[in-house]
Amino acid sequence: MGATIKHIDVKGIQVPIIFEEQKSLPILNLQLVFQNSGYIQDKDKSGLVSLSSKLLNEGTKELGATAFAQELEENAISLTTSNGFETFVIELSNLKEQSNKGLSLLTDLLKSPNFSQDTLDKLKTIQNGSLKRKENDFDYVAQNQLKSVLFAGTALENPSSGTIETTSKIQLKDIENFITNTISLSNLIIVAGGDFEEEEFEKFIKPFLETLKVGQKNEFQKINFISKNDEKTLIKDTEQAYIYFGSSFNADSKDEENYKAKVASFILGGSGFGSRLMEEIRVKRGLAYSAYGSISINKSHTYFNGYLQTKNESANEAKDLVKQLVAQFVKDGVTQEELTAAKNFLTGSEPLRSETLSQRLNSAFTLYYRGLEQDYSKKELEKIQNLKLEDLNSYIKSHNEINNLTFSIVRK
């Protein structure tokens, strides 16, 4: 049937509900998505939102982490909190017969999170241990170094997990303030599906929603940046060079021509074997085992980015080759053969992206969140199928800004 979108009035707030009924399995999957509430809200406390989501996975103050987890396990209920850059998400899933129990535990959790200094100290120790181990994960190091340069001065410049230095400065009151301000009706989008009829689900969820406060709406933040031809190299004792790169890509999540970006991205570096980057860097020259590049279009920001690993002594050659390939791609565009192959894959693989309930709900949420119609994906496929070579190449040439590549290199 596909997802439907309605709004339910709670304390004067029109809360959107994205819902799909699925009778094949007796389950409930519920996501509370708080928009403009991801680590974009870290501000000068990098890692705050990450620690906050982890604290909500530590149960209630009354039961503590162990007893709360046991309660979930005994009833086959999954209740987890996570965050991205733009969103803060609480997800509940269970058998339909355990729905009341699951919602009750969720209500208890939000009413009395495990705000205690001991819990925070434990989470900091775990977080800092993870960050310490990642100091030798050179993909992680190179990626974060790229963000610090490419997105300098914006909310994207810091790693989502923060650093050991920033994490140590986060206090319990910071997490309390974030969770208190974030968990509100004004920021909420409900995404749900399962063995419920639509009216049945609304009746089920309404009492829970009444327990949430109205709160203040977090204003949407657009991340504006202009990339430069820049490079930052970090010398480490590593067996190979890790090369990450990125640049501006001037587009908006609601642009009608984004389907062209999808095709261009697939051909340049998103398709694995057969892509320009993979063919030229690995197949023809043997400089890397893999090489990828893609155009990422989000509501708050868009950019082109990619990565590869190569021998230390080949780092400069590989970097220069990436520059040449991107410049050639912008200047000359793609071939009819590349376009035909991209069309066949993108249109042929679309059914695989909507097989499961979670995939369909995620797609419905993404379209709603970006302000697009629910039939956008179908129309996009039609546009891709009808895309002409000259129109795609004209579009590619209009995005000369991706030539302003910033490189982050970790090498010996």
Side-chain angles (χ1 to χ4, degrees):
M1 290 177 60
T4 60
I5 299 174
K6 292 181 68 174
H7 290 76
I8 183 171
D9 186 283
V10 186
K11 299 180 180 179
I13 301 296
Q14 295 296 310
V15 179
I17 297 180
I18 301 168
F19 180 81
E20 179 176 336
E21 179 182 336
Q22 179 176 281
K23 292 291 188 180
S24 59
L25 290 172
I27 61 170
L28 168 68
N29 183 269
L30 168 66
Q31 294 181 56
L32 307 179
V33 182
F34 299 93
Q35 54 189 325
N36 306 319
S37 301
Y39 73 93
I40 193 172
Q41 297 293 341
D42 275 352
K43 299 183 172 61
D44 61 343
K45 293 182 172 66
S46 181
L48 170 62
V49 177
S50 176
L51 275 178
S52 299
S53 66
K54 287 177 169 59
L55 187 137
L56 279 184
N57 289 321
E58 291 294 308
T60 63
K61 195 165 188 178
E62 290 74 20
L63 289 179
T66 303
F68 191 82
Q70 185 175 353
E71 189 83 3
L72 293 172
E73 185 177 354
E74 288 175 351
N75 293 280
I77 298 168
S78 174
L79 178 55
T80 57
T81 305
S82 60
N83 70 276
F85 178 65
E86 299 177 11
T87 58
F88 190 83
V89 183
I90 302 173
E91 183 168 3
L92 171 70
S93 59
N94 49 253
L95 294 173
K96 183 178 181 179
E97 64 188 42
Q98 295 293 346
S99 295
N100 288 327
K101 180 68 174 179
L103 200 60
S104 175
L105 289 170
L106 173 58
T107 303
D108 291 344
L109 177 65
L110 297 185
K111 181 180 178 182
S112 182
N114 196 356
F115 290 139
S116 69
Q117 191 59 48
D118 286 346
T119 299
L120 178 56
D121 290 342
K122 181 185 79 171
L123 293 175
K124 282 187 177 183
T125 299
I126 295 172
Q127 185 93 316
N128 288 340
S130 174
L131 291 171
K132 193 69 178 175
R133 289 191 297 274
K134 287 179 178 179
E135 289 178 0
N136 293 316
D137 180 348
F138 298 122
D139 277 306
Y140 178 83
V141 172
Q143 186 177 33
N144 282 328
Q145 181 174 257
L146 175 64
K147 289 173 64 178
S148 71
V149 179
L150 186 62
F151 303 119
T154 76
L156 276 165
E157 71 174 329
N158 297 313
S160 60
S161 298
T163 65
I164 293 175
E165 181 183 2
T166 61
T167 299
S168 66
K169 297 177 181 177
I170 294 172
Q171 299 178 28
L172 190 60
K173 65 180 180 181
D174 298 322
I175 294 178
E176 290 185 20
N177 288 338
F178 172 78
I179 291 177
T180 300
N181 293 333
T182 298
I183 309 299
S184 69
L185 296 169
S186 295
N187 295 314
L188 179 61
I189 299 174
I190 296 173
V191 184
D195 189 12
F196 281 77
E197 294 180 358
E198 194 169 341
E199 290 185 3
E200 179 188 10
F201 175 76
E202 290 181 19
K203 185 178 180 181
F204 165 75
I205 199 70
K206 184 73 179 285
F208 164 75
L209 296 178
E210 295 283 0
T211 68
L212 302 180
K213 68 179 189 306
V214 172
Q216 294 289 323
K217 186 172 183 178
N218 290 337
E219 293 302 317
F220 171 70
Q221 299 177 42
K222 185 75 173 177
I223 306 297
N224 296 308
F225 72 100
I226 300 174
S227 63
K228 301 175 182 177
N229 287 306
D230 202 355
E231 178 183 328
K232 186 172 182 179
T233 299
L234 180 65
I235 303 301
K236 289 282 187 178
D237 186 16
T238 172
E239 296 300 317
Q240 59 182 347
Y242 298 77
I243 302 175
Y244 278 67
F245 51 89
S247 60
S248 308
F249 188 83
N250 299 332
D252 186 86
S253 62
K254 292 197 289 186
D255 280 356
E256 292 187 1
E257 293 198 318
N258 281 347
Y259 72 98
K260 296 177 183 176
K262 190 173 186 176
V263 176
S265 177
F266 181 86
I267 294 171
L268 177 57
S271 58
F273 283 104
S275 73
R276 286 279 187 92
L277 291 178
M278 188 77 92
E279 282 290 310
E280 296 294 333
I281 294 173
R282 172 182 169 156
V283 178
K284 293 185 179 180
R285 294 171 177 81
L287 288 175
Y289 180 75
S290 61
Y292 292 95
S294 62
I295 296 167
S296 179
I297 298 179
N298 305 286
K299 186 176 179 180
S300 63
H301 63 286
T302 63
Y303 66 109
F304 168 70
N305 71 107
Y307 65 92
L308 60 93
Q309 295 86 36
T310 187
K311 296 177 181 178
N312 281 300
E313 56 269 25
S314 304
N316 289 334
E317 181 184 358
K319 178 197 67 180
D320 291 341
L321 182 57
V322 170
K323 288 182 178 180
Q324 293 169 22
L325 291 172
V326 172
Q328 183 182 19
F329 187 77
V330 173
K331 179 176 178 290
D332 300 329
V334 308
T335 66
Q336 184 61 54
E337 183 181 5
E338 288 174 319
L339 175 56
T340 301
K343 284 183 177 183
N344 290 339
F345 182 88
L346 292 172
T347 56
S349 63
E350 180 60 30
L352 299 176
R353 290 189 280 272
S354 57
E355 284 186 312
T356 66
L357 175 63
S358 61
Q359 286 176 319
R360 294 191 298 274
L361 286 174
N362 182 64
S363 176
F365 165 75
T366 300
L367 293 174
Y368 173 82
Y369 180 67
R370 293 181 177 178
L372 301 169
E373 297 296 327
Q374 287 297 303
D375 63 350
Y376 174 85
S377 297
K378 181 181 178 181
K379 291 180 178 178
E380 182 184 59
L381 286 179
E382 293 173 355
K383 289 180 178 180
I384 289 174
Q385 196 60 54
N386 296 324
L387 180 57
K388 296 180 179 179
L389 182 65
E390 56 268 30
D391 292 335
L392 176 59
N393 285 338
S394 176
Y395 176 82
I396 293 171
K397 290 178 182 179
S398 72
H399 284 280
N400 186 59
E401 70 274 9
I402 71 171
N403 276 318
N404 297 322
L405 286 165
T406 296
F407 283 86
S408 167
I409 302 174
V410 178
R411 60 178 295 182
K412 196 168 185 177

Coordinates of all heavy atoms in Angstrom, one line a residue, residues 113-188:
P113 N 15.2 9.6 32.5 CA 16.4 9.0 32.0 C 17.5 8.8 33.1 O 17.4 9.4 34.2 CB 16.9 10.1 31.0 CG 15.7 10.9 30.7 CD 14.9 10.9 32.0
N114 N 18.4 8.0 32.8 CA 19.4 7.6 33.9 C 20.5 8.8 34.0 O 21.7 8.6 33.8 CB 20.1 6.3 33.5 CG 20.9 5.7 34.6 OD1 21.0 6.3 35.7 ND2 21.4 4.5 34.4
F115 N 20.0 9.9 34.4 CA 20.9 11.1 34.7 C 21.6 10.9 36.0 O 21.1 11.1 37.1 CB 20.1 12.4 34.7 CG 19.5 12.8 33.4 CD1 18.2 13.4 33.4 CD2 20.2 12.7 32.3 CE1 17.6 13.8 32.2 CE2 19.7 13.2 31.0 CZ 18.4 13.7 31.0
S116 N 22.8 10.4 35.9 CA 23.7 10.2 37.1 C 25.1 10.4 36.7 O 25.5 10.1 35.5 CB 23.5 8.8 37.7 OG 24.0 7.8 36.9
Q117 N 25.9 10.9 37.6 CA 27.3 11.2 37.3 C 28.1 9.9 37.0 O 28.9 9.8 36.1 CB 28.0 11.9 38.5 CG 29.4 12.4 38.1 CD 29.4 13.4 37.0 OE1 28.5 14.3 36.9 NE2 30.3 13.2 36.0
D118 N 27.7 8.8 37.7 CA 28.3 7.5 37.5 C 28.1 7.0 36.1 O 29.0 6.5 35.4 CB 27.8 6.4 38.5 CG 28.3 6.7 39.9 OD1 29.3 7.4 40.0 OD2 27.8 6.1 40.8
T119 N 26.9 7.2 35.6 CA 26.5 6.8 34.2 C 27.3 7.6 33.2 O 27.9 7.0 32.3 CB 25.0 6.9 34.0 OG1 24.3 6.1 34.8 CG2 24.7 6.6 32.5
L120 N 27.4 8.9 33.4 CA 28.1 9.7 32.5 C 29.6 9.4 32.5 O 30.3 9.3 31.5 CB 27.9 11.2 32.9 CG 28.7 12.2 32.0 CD1 28.4 12.0 30.5 CD2 28.4 13.7 32.4
D121 N 30.2 9.2 33.7 CA 31.6 8.8 33.8 C 31.9 7.5 33.0 O 32.9 7.4 32.4 CB 32.0 8.7 35.3 CG 32.0 10.0 36.0 OD1 32.1 11.1 35.3 OD2 32.0 10.0 37.2
K122 N 31.0 6.6 33.1 CA 31.1 5.3 32.4 C 31.1 5.5 30.9 O 31.9 5.0 30.2 CB 30.0 4.3 32.8 CG 30.1 2.9 32.2 CD 28.9 2.0 32.5 CE 27.7 2.4 31.7 NZ 26.6 1.4 31.8
L123 N 30.1 6.3 30.5 CA 30.0 6.6 29.0 C 31.2 7.3 28.5 O 31.7 7.0 27.4 CB 28.7 7.4 28.8 CG 27.4 6.7 29.0 CD1 26.3 7.6 28.8 CD2 27.3 5.4 28.1
K124 N 31.7 8.2 29.3 CA 32.9 9.0 28.9 C 34.1 8.0 28.7 O 34.9 8.1 27.8 CB 33.3 10.1 29.9 CG 32.4 11.3 29.7 CD 32.9 12.4 30.7 CE 32.2 13.7 30.5 NZ 32.7 14.8 31.4
T125 N 34.3 7.1 29.7 CA 35.4 6.2 29.6 C 35.3 5.3 28.4 O 36.3 5.1 27.7 CB 35.4 5.3 30.9 OG1 35.5 6.1 32.1 CG2 36.5 4.3 30.9
I126 N 34.1 4.8 28.1 CA 33.9 4.0 26.9 C 34.1 4.8 25.6 O 34.8 4.4 24.7 CB 32.4 3.4 26.9 CG1 32.2 2.5 28.1 CG2 32.2 2.7 25.6 CD1 30.8 2.0 28.2
Q127 N 33.6 6.0 25.6 CA 33.8 6.9 24.4 C 35.2 7.2 24.2 O 35.7 7.2 23.1 CB 33.0 8.2 24.6 CG 33.0 9.1 23.4 CD 31.8 8.9 22.5 OE1 31.5 7.8 22.2 NE2 31.2 10.0 22.1
N128 N 35.9 7.6 25.3 CA 37.4 8.0 25.1 C 38.2 6.8 24.7 O 39.2 6.9 24.0 CB 37.9 8.6 26.4 CG 37.3 10.0 26.7 OD1 36.9 10.6 25.7 ND2 37.3 10.4 27.9
G129 N 37.8 5.6 25.2 CA 38.5 4.4 24.8 C 38.4 4.1 23.3 O 39.3 3.7 22.6
S130 N 37.1 4.3 22.9 CA 36.9 4.2 21.4 C 37.6 5.2 20.6 O 38.2 4.9 19.6 CB 35.4 4.3 21.2 OG 35.1 4.3 19.8
L131 N 37.6 6.4 21.1 CA 38.4 7.5 20.3 C 39.9 7.2 20.3 O 40.6 7.5 19.4 CB 38.1 8.9 21.0 CG 36.7 9.4 20.8 CD1 36.4 10.6 21.7 CD2 36.4 9.7 19.3
K132 N 40.4 6.7 21.4 CA 41.8 6.3 21.5 C 42.2 5.3 20.5 O 43.2 5.3 19.8 CB 42.1 5.9 22.9 CG 43.6 5.8 23.2 CD 44.3 7.1 23.3 CE 45.7 7.1 23.6 NZ 46.4 8.4 23.6
R133 N 41.3 4.3 20.4 CA 41.6 3.2 19.4 C 41.5 3.7 18.0 O 42.2 3.3 17.1 CB 40.5 2.1 19.6 CG 40.7 1.2 20.9 CD 39.9 0.0 20.8 NE 38.5 0.3 20.8 CZ 37.7 0.5 21.9 NH1 38.3 0.5 23.1 NH2 36.5 0.8 21.8
K134 N 40.6 4.7 17.7 CA 40.5 5.2 16.4 C 41.7 6.1 16.0 O 41.8 6.5 14.8 CB 39.2 6.1 16.3 CG 37.9 5.2 16.3 CD 36.7 6.0 16.2 CE 35.4 5.1 16.2 NZ 34.2 5.9 16.1
E135 N 42.5 6.4 16.9 CA 43.7 7.2 16.5 C 44.6 6.4 15.6 O 45.4 6.9 14.8 CB 44.6 7.5 17.8 CG 43.9 8.6 18.6 CD 44.7 8.9 19.9 OE1 45.8 8.2 20.1 OE2 44.3 9.7 20.7
N136 N 44.4 5.0 15.5 CA 45.2 4.2 14.6 C 44.3 3.7 13.5 O 44.7 2.8 12.7 CB 45.8 3.0 15.4 CG 46.9 3.4 16.3 OD1 47.7 4.3 16.0 ND2 46.9 2.9 17.5
D137 N 43.1 4.2 13.4 CA 42.2 3.9 12.3 C 42.4 5.1 11.3 O 41.7 6.1 11.4 CB 40.7 3.8 12.7 CG 39.8 3.5 11.6 OD1 40.2 3.6 10.4 OD2 38.6 3.2 11.9
F138 N 43.3 4.9 10.3 CA 43.7 6.0 9.5 C 42.6 6.5 8.5 O 42.7 7.6 8.0 CB 45.0 5.7 8.8 CG 46.1 5.5 9.8 CD1 46.8 4.3 9.8 CD2 46.4 6.4 10.8 CE1 47.9 4.1 10.7 CE2 47.5 6.2 11.7 CZ 48.2 5.0 11.7
D139 N 41.6 5.6 8.2 CA 40.5 6.0 7.4 C 39.7 7.1 8.2 O 39.3 8.1 7.7 CB 39.6 4.9 7.1 CG 40.1 4.1 5.9 OD1 40.3 4.7 4.8 OD2 40.3 2.9 5.9
Y140 N 39.5 6.8 9.5 CA 38.8 7.7 10.4 C 39.5 9.0 10.6 O 38.9 10.1 10.5 CB 38.6 7.0 11.8 CG 37.9 7.8 12.8 CD1 36.5 7.9 12.9 CD2 38.6 8.5 13.8 CE1 35.9 8.7 13.8 CE2 38.0 9.3 14.8 CZ 36.6 9.4 14.8 OH 36.0 10.1 15.7
V141 N 40.8 8.9 10.7 CA 41.7 10.1 10.9 C 41.6 10.9 9.7 O 41.5 12.2 9.8 CB 43.1 9.7 11.3 CG1 44.0 10.9 11.3 CG2 43.2 9.0 12.6
A142 N 41.8 10.3 8.5 CA 41.8 11.1 7.3 C 40.5 11.7 7.0 O 40.4 12.9 6.5 CB 42.2 10.2 6.1
Q143 N 39.4 11.0 7.3 CA 38.1 11.5 7.0 C 37.8 12.7 7.9 O 37.2 13.7 7.4 CB 37.0 10.4 7.3 CG 35.6 10.8 6.9 CD 34.6 9.6 7.1 OE1 34.8 8.8 8.0 NE2 33.6 9.6 6.3
N144 N 38.1 12.6 9.2 CA 37.9 13.8 10.1 C 38.8 14.9 9.8 O 38.4 16.1 9.9 CB 38.1 13.3 11.5 CG 36.9 12.5 12.1 OD1 35.7 12.8 11.7 ND2 37.1 11.6 12.9
Q145 N 40.0 14.7 9.3 CA 40.9 15.7 8.9 C 40.3 16.5 7.7 O 40.4 17.7 7.6 CB 42.3 15.2 8.6 CG 43.3 16.2 8.2 CD 44.7 15.7 8.0 OE1 45.5 15.8 8.8 NE2 44.9 15.0 6.9
L146 N 39.7 15.7 6.8 CA 39.1 16.4 5.6 C 37.9 17.3 6.1 O 37.8 18.4 5.6 CB 38.5 15.3 4.7 CG 37.7 15.8 3.5 CD1 38.6 16.7 2.6 CD2 37.1 14.7 2.7
K147 N 37.1 16.8 7.0 CA 36.0 17.6 7.5 C 36.4 18.9 8.1 O 35.8 19.9 8.0 CB 35.1 16.8 8.5 CG 34.3 15.6 7.8 CD 33.7 14.8 8.9 CE 32.6 15.5 9.7 NZ 32.0 14.7 10.7
S148 N 37.5 18.8 8.9 CA 38.0 19.9 9.6 C 38.5 21.0 8.6 O 38.5 22.2 9.0 CB 39.2 19.5 10.5 OG 40.4 19.2 9.8
V149 N 38.9 20.7 7.5 CA 39.4 21.6 6.5 C 38.3 22.0 5.5 O 38.0 23.2 5.3 CB 40.6 21.1 5.6 CG1 41.1 22.1 4.6 CG2 41.7 20.7 6.6
L150 N 37.6 21.1 5.0 CA 36.5 21.3 4.0 C 35.4 22.1 4.6 O 34.8 23.0 4.0 CB 36.0 20.0 3.4 CG 35.0 20.1 2.3 CD1 35.6 20.7 1.1 CD2 34.5 18.7 1.9
F151 N 35.0 21.8 5.8 CA 33.8 22.4 6.5 C 34.3 23.4 7.6 O 33.5 23.6 8.5 CB 32.9 21.4 7.0 CG 32.4 20.4 6.0 CD1 32.7 19.0 6.2 CD2 31.7 20.8 4.9 CE1 32.2 18.1 5.2 CE2 31.2 19.9 4.0 CZ 31.5 18.5 4.1
A152 N 35.4 23.9 7.5 CA 36.0 24.8 8.6 C 35.0 25.9 8.9 O 34.5 26.6 8.0 CB 37.3 25.3 8.2
G153 N 34.7 26.1 10.2 CA 33.9 27.2 10.6 C 32.4 26.9 10.6 O 31.5 27.7 10.8
T154 N 32.0 25.6 10.3 CA 30.6 25.2 10.3 C 30.5 24.1 11.3 O 31.4 23.5 11.8 CB 30.2 24.7 8.9 OG1 30.7 23.4 8.7 CG2 30.7 25.6 7.8
A155 N 29.2 23.7 11.5 CA 28.9 22.6 12.4 C 29.4 21.2 12.0 O 29.4 20.3 12.7 CB 27.4 22.5 12.7
L156 N 29.8 21.1 10.7 CA 30.3 19.9 10.2 C 31.8 19.6 10.4 O 32.3 18.6 10.0 CB 30.0 19.8 8.6 CG 28.6 19.4 8.2 CD1 28.4 19.7 6.8 CD2 28.4 17.9 8.4
E157 N 32.5 20.6 10.9 CA 33.9 20.5 10.9 C 34.4 19.5 12.0 O 35.5 19.0 11.9 CB 34.6 21.9 11.1 CG 34.4 22.5 12.5 CD 35.2 23.8 12.7 OE1 36.3 23.9 12.1 OE2 34.7 24.6 13.5
N158 N 33.6 19.2 13.0 CA 34.0 18.4 14.1 C 33.4 17.0 13.9 O 32.4 16.8 13.4 CB 33.5 18.9 15.4 CG 34.1 20.3 15.7 OD1 35.3 20.5 15.6 ND2 33.2 21.3 16.1
P159 N 34.1 16.0 14.5 CA 33.7 14.6 14.4 C 32.4 14.4 15.3 O 32.3 15.1 16.3 CB 34.8 13.7 14.9 CG 35.6 14.7 15.8 CD 35.5 16.0 15.1
S160 N 31.5 13.5 14.8 CA 30.3 13.3 15.6 C 30.5 12.8 17.0 O 29.7 13.2 17.9 CB 29.4 12.3 14.8 OG 30.0 11.1 14.7
S161 N 31.5 12.1 17.2 CA 31.8 11.5 18.5 C 32.6 12.5 19.4 O 33.0 12.2 20.5 CB 32.5 10.2 18.4 OG 31.7 9.2 17.8
G162 N 33.0 13.6 18.8 CA 33.8 14.6 19.6 C 35.3 14.1 19.6 O 35.7 13.2 18.9
T163 N 36.0 14.7 20.5 CA 37.4 14.3 20.8 C 37.6 14.0 22.3 O 36.7 14.3 23.1 CB 38.4 15.3 20.4 OG1 38.2 16.5 21.2 CG2 38.2 15.8 18.9
I164 N 38.7 13.4 22.6 CA 38.9 13.1 24.1 C 38.9 14.4 24.8 O 38.4 14.5 25.9 CB 40.3 12.4 24.2 CG1 40.2 11.0 23.7 CG2 40.7 12.3 25.7 CD1 41.5 10.2 23.7
E165 N 39.5 15.5 24.2 CA 39.5 16.8 24.9 C 38.1 17.4 25.1 O 37.7 17.8 26.2 CB 40.4 17.8 24.1 CG 40.5 19.1 24.8 CD 41.3 20.1 23.9 OE1 41.8 19.7 22.8 OE2 41.5 21.2 24.4
T166 N 37.3 17.4 24.0 CA 35.9 18.0 24.1 C 35.0 17.1 25.0 O 34.2 17.7 25.7 CB 35.3 18.2 22.7 OG1 35.2 16.9 22.1 CG2 36.2 19.1 21.9
T167 N 35.1 15.8 24.9 CA 34.3 14.9 25.7 C 34.5 15.2 27.2 O 33.5 15.1 28.0 CB 34.6 13.5 25.4 OG1 34.3 13.2 24.0 CG2 33.7 12.5 26.2
S168 N 35.7 15.4 27.6 CA 36.0 15.6 29.0 C 35.4 16.8 29.6 O 35.1 16.9 30.8 CB 37.6 15.6 29.2 OG 38.1 16.8 28.6
K169 N 35.0 17.8 28.8 CA 34.4 19.0 29.2 C 32.9 19.0 29.3 O 32.3 19.9 29.9 CB 34.9 20.1 28.3 CG 36.4 20.4 28.3 CD 36.7 21.5 27.3 CE 38.2 21.8 27.3 NZ 38.6 22.8 26.3
I170 N 32.3 17.9 28.8 CA 30.8 17.8 28.8 C 30.3 17.4 30.2 O 30.8 16.4 30.7 CB 30.4 16.8 27.7 CG1 30.7 17.4 26.3 CG2 28.9 16.6 27.8 CD1 30.5 16.4 25.2
Q171 N 29.4 18.1 30.7 CA 28.9 17.9 32.0 C 27.5 17.3 32.0 O 26.8 17.4 30.9 CB 28.9 19.2 32.9 CG 30.3 19.8 33.1 CD 30.2 21.1 33.8 OE1 29.3 21.3 34.7 NE2 31.2 22.0 33.6
L172 N 27.1 16.7 33.1 CA 25.7 16.1 33.1 C 24.6 17.1 32.8 O 23.7 16.7 32.1 CB 25.5 15.5 34.5 CG 24.3 14.6 34.7 CD1 24.4 13.4 33.7 CD2 24.2 14.1 36.1
K173 N 24.8 18.3 33.3 CA 23.7 19.3 33.0 C 23.6 19.6 31.5 O 22.6 20.0 31.1 CB 24.0 20.6 33.8 CG 25.3 21.3 33.4 CD 25.5 22.6 34.3 CE 26.8 23.3 33.9 NZ 27.0 24.5 34.8
D174 N 24.8 19.5 30.8 CA 24.7 19.8 29.3 C 23.8 18.7 28.7 O 23.0 19.1 27.8 CB 26.1 19.7 28.7 CG 27.1 20.8 29.3 OD1 26.6 21.9 29.5 OD2 28.3 20.5 29.5
I175 N 24.0 17.5 29.1 CA 23.2 16.4 28.5 C 21.7 16.5 28.9 O 20.8 16.4 28.1 CB 23.7 15.0 28.9 CG1 25.1 14.8 28.3 CG2 22.8 13.9 28.5 CD1 25.8 13.5 28.7
E176 N 21.5 16.9 30.2 CA 20.1 17.1 30.7 C 19.4 18.2 29.9 O 18.3 18.0 29.4 CB 20.1 17.4 32.1 CG 20.5 16.3 33.1 CD 20.4 16.7 34.5 OE1 19.7 17.6 34.8 OE2 21.0 16.0 35.4
N177 N 20.1 19.3 29.6 CA 19.6 20.4 28.9 C 19.3 20.0 27.5 O 18.2 20.3 26.9 CB 20.5 21.6 28.9 CG 20.6 22.3 30.3 OD1 19.7 22.1 31.1 ND2 21.7 23.0 30.5
F178 N 20.2 19.3 26.8 CA 20.0 18.9 25.4 C 18.7 18.0 25.3 O 17.9 18.2 24.5 CB 21.2 18.1 24.9 CG 20.9 17.5 23.5 CD1 20.9 18.3 22.4 CD2 20.6 16.2 23.4 CE1 20.6 17.8 21.1 CE2 20.3 15.6 22.1 CZ 20.3 16.5 21.0
I179 N 18.7 16.9 26.1 CA 17.6 16.0 26.0 C 16.2 16.7 26.4 O 15.2 16.5 25.7 CB 17.8 14.8 27.0 CG1 19.0 13.9 26.4 CG2 16.6 13.9 27.1 CD1 19.4 12.7 27.3
T180 N 16.2 17.5 27.4 CA 15.0 18.2 27.8 C 14.5 19.1 26.7 O 13.3 19.2 26.4 CB 15.3 19.0 29.1 OG1 15.7 18.2 30.2 CG2 14.0 19.8 29.5
N181 N 15.4 19.8 26.0 CA 15.1 20.7 25.0 C 14.7 20.0 23.7 O 13.9 20.5 22.9 CB 16.2 21.7 24.7 CG 16.4 22.7 25.9 OD1 15.5 22.9 26.6 ND2 17.6 23.1 26.0
T182 N 15.3 18.8 23.4 CA 15.1 18.1 22.2 C 13.8 17.3 22.1 O 13.1 17.3 21.1 CB 16.3 17.2 21.9 OG1 17.5 18.0 21.8 CG2 16.1 16.4 20.6
I183 N 13.6 16.6 23.2 CA 12.4 15.7 23.2 C 11.1 16.5 23.4 O 10.7 16.7 24.5 CB 12.5 14.6 24.4 CG1 13.9 13.9 24.3 CG2 11.4 13.6 24.3 CD1 14.1 13.1 23.1
S184 N 10.6 16.9 22.3 CA 9.4 17.8 22.3 C 8.6 17.6 21.1 O 9.0 17.1 20.1 CB 9.9 19.3 22.5 OG 10.5 19.7 21.2
L185 N 7.3 18.0 21.2 CA 6.4 17.8 20.1 C 6.7 18.7 19.0 O 6.5 18.4 17.8 CB 4.9 18.1 20.6 CG 4.4 17.2 21.7 CD1 3.1 17.8 22.2 CD2 4.1 15.8 21.1
S186 N 7.3 19.9 19.2 CA 7.6 20.8 18.2 C 8.7 20.3 17.2 O 8.7 20.8 16.1 CB 8.1 22.2 18.8 OG 7.0 22.8 19.6
N187 N 9.5 19.4 17.7 CA 10.6 18.9 16.8 C 10.3 17.5 16.2 O 11.1 17.0 15.5 CB 11.9 18.8 17.6 CG 12.4 20.2 18.0 OD1 12.4 21.1 17.2 ND2 12.8 20.3 19.3
L188 N 9.1 17.0 16.6 CA 8.9 15.5 16.4 C 8.3 15.2 15.0 O 7.3 15.9 14.5 CB 8.0 15.0 17.5 CG 7.6 13.5 17.4 CD1 8.8 12.6 17.5 CD2 6.6 13.2 18.5

